Amino acid sequence: MAKSTDSDASQSARKGLFSRKPKGGKKPKKDGRMKQIAQVFTMTRRNDPNVVWLMLGAFIGIIALGLLIGFLIDNWITMLIIAVPLGLLAAMFILSRRAERAAFSQIEGQPGASGAALSVLRRGWILEEQPVAVNPRTQEAVFRAIGRPGIVLVTEGSPARAKALADAERRRMNRIVPKVPVTVIQTGRGEGQVPLAKVATTAKKLPKELTKQEVATVNKRLAALGTRLPIPKGIDPYRARPDRKATRGR
């Protein structure tokens, strides 16, 4: 009996050392890159069915061009090896751009969508995550970005009420930093409005008026004064952001 007990104890010890940990103790594995690309592709195709044909056309077109050049120089194998990765790169680029549009189409009309559109801006821009002006009753809002073009205010909500809100914020900016240009971009699909997917591009195309040092100075000046917003306590509905991995196609 003693031998049996010792044997059982030995076996249980081995199991304890080499057995798998319970599922609850495992850390969730991060999705692989291919899985992420597949998810982005599925999301994009659901909102934009033409993306399949555009990607396929770009891939086949580059392969055909590579083969044509290869036959002309009598080295089609080398050109095919070069054309395949270039075709894949072109297809991924199209997927990335279309995924960005699809991501914005999903948040269009939601509170904070204009702030999400500004969040695409990167180098050289200082973004304010919270709206700098908001109407808590009707939920019109104004978001702000500071860059070399100056101060950019992006509105959302009813055009008339959002314009009044932006004009008031513009006057406040002119009092605080009078020599800094202030541009208002109104989001929407109506006349004179800019779609969400083109907000960042529109801001980048504005003429550069400030140096990098002046951008930092303007930001410090505005940060010192702070913002005065009648936002109620609790969860902030203006923190909506698109999936950046999806917009990059990764």
Side-chain angles (χ1 to χ4, degrees):
M1 293 291 291
K3 289 182 180 180
S4 176
T5 305
D6 292 341
S7 176
D8 293 343
S10 169
Q11 289 178 3
S12 62
R14 289 195 193 98
K15 288 180 180 179
L17 287 172
F18 300 107
S19 60
R20 294 181 179 178
K21 293 181 180 180
K23 292 183 179 179
K26 283 187 176 181
K27 292 182 179 179
K29 292 183 179 180
K30 293 183 178 179
D31 291 339
R33 180 166 296 183
M34 293 304 298
K35 187 175 180 180
Q36 290 178 358
I37 293 175
Q39 291 172 347
V40 171
F41 177 76
T42 302
M43 181 272 294
T44 307
R45 185 176 62 178
R46 186 169 56 246
N47 291 274
D48 184 6
N50 292 328
V51 70
V52 178
W53 301 109
L54 290 172
M55 292 174 66
L56 191 61
F59 179 75
I60 294 175
I62 290 178
I63 295 294
L65 180 61
L67 287 174
L68 177 62
I69 296 173
F71 284 124
L72 290 175
I73 64 174
D74 197 21
N75 193 359
W76 67 271
I77 295 177
T78 301
M79 291 307 302
L80 180 63
I81 294 173
I82 295 173
V84 168
L86 288 177
L88 290 173
L89 185 63
M92 288 298 100
F93 177 77
I94 291 174
L95 177 61
S96 175
R97 299 305 298 267
R98 292 283 173 159
E100 182 177 329
R101 292 185 185 181
F104 281 124
S105 68
Q106 289 184 343
I107 64 171
E108 190 171 3
Q110 296 181 14
S114 297
L118 274 180
S119 70
V120 178
L121 292 172
R122 279 284 171 256
R123 184 176 298 178
W125 290 87
I126 301 173
L127 309 176
E128 191 72 32
E129 289 190 359
Q130 306 292 340
V132 294
V134 62
N135 186 330
R137 186 173 61 85
T138 56
Q139 295 205 342
E140 279 78 29
V142 177
F143 291 85
R144 184 180 71 209
I146 306 170
R148 294 195 61 190
I151 298 172
V152 177
L153 303 177
V154 179
T155 69
E156 69 179 26
S158 168
R161 290 192 293 263
K163 183 178 182 301
L165 204 62
D167 289 343
E169 184 63 20
R170 189 210 294 265
R171 289 192 293 270
R172 193 170 80 92
M173 294 294 100
N174 289 335
R175 289 195 301 269
I176 298 170
V177 281
K179 295 182 181 181
V180 178
V182 181
T183 304
V184 177
I185 298 175
Q186 192 172 66
T187 60
R189 296 189 175 273
E191 186 178 354
Q193 296 180 322
V194 178
L196 287 177
K198 295 183 179 180
V199 167
T201 305
T202 303
K204 289 177 184 178
K205 287 181 178 179
L206 294 172
K208 294 177 174 59
E209 304 287 347
L210 306 178
T211 64
K212 293 181 180 179
Q213 292 76 15
E214 289 172 336
V215 171
T217 302
V218 171
N219 180 58
K220 288 179 181 178
R221 174 68 175 163
L222 295 178
L225 294 174
T227 55
R228 300 166 294 177
L229 290 177
I231 299 177
K233 294 181 180 180
I235 298 174
D236 182 7
Y238 294 93
R239 295 295 296 274
R241 292 290 181 271
D243 186 351
R244 289 179 183 172
K245 288 184 180 179
T247 60
R248 296 186 193 118
R250 291 186 291 175

